[in-house]
Amino acid sequence: LAENGTTGVELSIVVPIFNEQENIPLLFQKLEAAIAPITPDYEIVVVNDGSRDNSLGLLRQEAKRNSHIKVVSFSRNFGHQIAITAGMEFSKGDAVVIIDADLQDPPELLPQLIDEYEKGSDIVHTTRTSREGESAIKMLITRAAYRIINFTSDIEFPKNSGIFKLLSRRAVNELLKLKEKDPYLRGLMTWVGFKQSQVYYKRERRFAGQPHYPLLRSINPARTFVLGIVSFSLMPLNVCLLLGFLTSFSAFLYLIAVVVMKFMDINLPGWSALMSAILFLGGMQLTTTGVLGLYIGRIYTEAKNRPLYVIESTLGFDT
Ligand code: UDP
Ligand code: MG
């Protein structure tokens, strides 16, 4: 930023929105308050991800009030990651900031993000040092999940860093070339490379409304965890193979023992040994088949090659 805190960088803010009517007024108030001292040259690209409340009505009003606000509205709910992807596709700025609508991530961080960008970073991550309103257990699980994802992949993902990031135009363009059907965006943003840096902050409680965790849907944390692993690593497959080898090897040793005992006239253990062997092997087979399924599922999703989303309407774009 220049001495007076302004920048010549053309700024795009991308906001995914799904049922956020309680947050929309304050969201724009805060965003605009954060942007105003920095630059007059900005756009806010809002993606309405099939909201069922009055979000779209409110967004229309906001777009009418402020011509910098542009709205892309999906024909139904396609999920957080897809909404962000669409927002990036519609954005034009030199620097693109992605931020959730629920004000958990502070727009007040914008100057710091732009500062890092102007110092030459293509990706500026924001890393939460603590999270308001989230239990210690959830924090612990989150941290363990990040550690496991990092352990399985060759890329080092910043821990405790969500989707609230700044990306340069060339980083966005590279990301958009990927065209993955079920993208793990925060991973892919690291995958892109270039110079990356981090800004630290405290994550707030959701301002209003409930988090959207439709079971087994896009933003479900357990699903995101699995996605983080299978989209960057083949390690689970290798572990399955290793387990298979180990089981076969121990079965072979046991077979020798059985033969030896037979010749030494030792009574073979019966029903319970058989039962545990069957259950153990059955469990192992189902697990490894399940892991295979995760990868085959991803191939299936890619192979169908459906478009990522369907747009119902747009508002505020030139063409
Ligand atoms: N969101 C979305 N589509 C969805 C679910 C969520 O666009 O299917 C948006 C939501 O409006 C919010 C952001 O994605 O702006 C993050 O959602 P949420 O706060 O529920 O997730 P969390 O912060 O708990 O991870
Ligand atoms: Mg949230």
Side-chain angles (χ1 to χ4, degrees), residues 18-318:
F18 178 56
N19 297 346
E20 300 282 6
Q21 60 182 14
E22 299 94 342
N23 290 317
I24 285 174
L26 188 66
L27 169 73
F28 288 102
Q29 202 178 310
K30 284 212 168 194
L31 276 180
E32 287 167 44
I35 299 167
I38 304 175
T39 176
D41 198 6
Y42 73 96
E43 61 174 1
I44 302 177
V45 179
V46 187
V47 180
N48 170 40
D49 186 12
S51 296
R52 290 169 207 126
D53 63 0
N54 190 31
S55 292
L56 184 57
L58 294 177
L59 291 175
R60 288 209 177 102
Q61 283 176 23
E62 298 284 348
K64 205 178 282 173
R65 177 184 58 77
N66 178 348
S67 62
H68 295 279
I69 299 174
K70 304 168 182 181
V71 184
V72 180
S73 198
F74 285 173
S75 62
R76 64 168 172 86
N77 179 256
F78 283 88
H80 187 211
Q81 308 277 300
I82 304 300
I84 291 168
T85 307
M88 291 193 296
E89 282 174 353
F90 276 84
S91 73
K92 291 197 325 250
D94 311 323
V96 179
V97 173
I98 293 150
I99 189 165
D100 283 347
D102 57 9
L103 296 165
Q104 281 191 284
D105 306 314
E108 294 77 20
L109 231 54
L110 266 181
Q112 268 169 280
L113 294 177
I114 293 170
D115 244 350
E116 290 295 323
Y117 167 78
E118 291 190 332
K119 280 192 236 149
S121 292
D122 281 89
I123 317 261
V124 188
H125 303 275
T126 64
T127 301
R128 339 177 245 259
T129 50
S130 79
R131 294 214 225 180
E132 282 295 318
E134 283 177 15
S135 67
I137 294 195
K138 193 173 170 200
M139 282 293 285
L140 208 75
I141 295 175
T142 308
R143 215 169 296 148
Y146 275 110
R147 204 163 294 152
I148 294 172
I149 292 175
N150 266 339
F151 173 73
T152 57
S153 99
D154 294 334
I155 304 169
E156 184 67 26
F157 302 115
K159 288 187 195 71
N160 259 325
S161 154
I163 202 71
F164 180 36
K165 299 184 199 295
L166 180 148
L167 289 89
S168 69
R169 175 47 49 192
R170 66 171 178 175
V172 167
N173 289 345
E174 292 303 326
L175 259 181
L176 293 177
K177 278 187 205 160
L178 298 178
K179 305 242 178 279
E180 287 194 18
K181 300 298 172 194
D182 186 13
Y184 180 59
L185 279 183
R186 45 184 122 159
L188 293 173
M189 286 167 180
T190 306
W191 174 91
V192 160
F194 299 126
K195 182 168 184 250
Q196 310 209 353
S197 58
Q198 295 191 44
V199 164
Y200 296 87
Y201 75 106
K202 206 170 121 210
R203 192 165 212 228
E204 297 296 331
R205 208 182 282 273
R206 193 171 228 291
F207 175 69
Q210 292 297 318
H212 314 89
Y213 284 168
L215 201 63
L216 304 179
R217 288 286 301 284
S218 58
I219 208 165
N220 175 295
R223 192 183 170 286
T224 308
F225 171 64
V226 173
L227 182 64
I229 293 178
V230 299
S231 59
F232 281 93
S233 170
L234 296 179
M235 194 187 278
L237 293 175
N238 299 332
V239 170
C240 289
L241 187 65
L242 188 70
L243 282 177
F245 272 132
L246 288 178
T247 320
S248 311
F249 185 64
S250 34
F252 176 70
L253 292 184
Y254 188 63
L255 196 74
I256 295 177
V258 169
V259 173
V260 170
M261 286 193 287
K262 178 89 184 158
F263 280 111
M264 291 171 65
D265 232 7
I266 300 171
N267 265 345
L268 294 177
W271 189 82
S272 42
L274 206 61
M275 207 52 197
S276 37
I278 289 173
L279 289 178
F280 174 72
L281 287 178
M284 192 97 107
Q285 280 165 353
L286 287 177
T287 310
T288 49
T289 315
V291 172
L292 267 179
L294 290 175
Y295 289 91
I296 295 174
R298 283 187 72 75
I299 299 172
Y300 173 63
T301 312
E302 294 293 338
K304 282 185 294 186
N305 201 23
R306 290 184 183 150
L308 284 182
Y309 51 81
V310 176
I311 291 176
E312 187 168 273
S313 63
T314 61
L315 192 64
F317 294 94
D318 299 337

